[in-house]
Amino acid sequence: MANDVVVITEAPSETVNDLIIINRSDRDLFILAGEVIIGGKQDRIIGRNTVIPGNTRQTVPVFCVE
């Protein structure tokens, strides 16, 4: 993330149970269920293990946490 290879954004529909993850790398990205994403409108936790192929954008299910 420090090199802008992975970008995480809010879903445009303002759905709090989805985040959009953009993988700008040529390599696949594994996102582990239970990882906490801090920031945005509220903190969230990844809802399921997800593999995001290189150079793609994908909606990932999340849960809100306090």
Side-chain angles (χ1 to χ4, degrees), residues 6-56:
V6 176
V7 177
I8 301 172
T9 62
E10 304 277 342
S13 63
E14 308 256 343
T15 304
V16 296
N17 290 330
D18 290 317
L19 288 176
I20 296 171
I21 300 181
I22 303 166
N23 180 6
R24 295 180 178 167
S25 169
D26 293 331
R27 301 171 68 186
D28 292 349
L29 173 67
F30 175 71
I31 309 272
L32 181 66
E35 290 291 322
V36 177
I37 307 295
I38 298 174
K41 294 181 181 172
Q42 50 191 195
D43 297 343
R44 296 180 179 99
I45 192 166
I46 299 294
R48 69 170 182 235
N49 292 341
T50 305
V51 175
I52 302 174
N55 297 306
T56 60

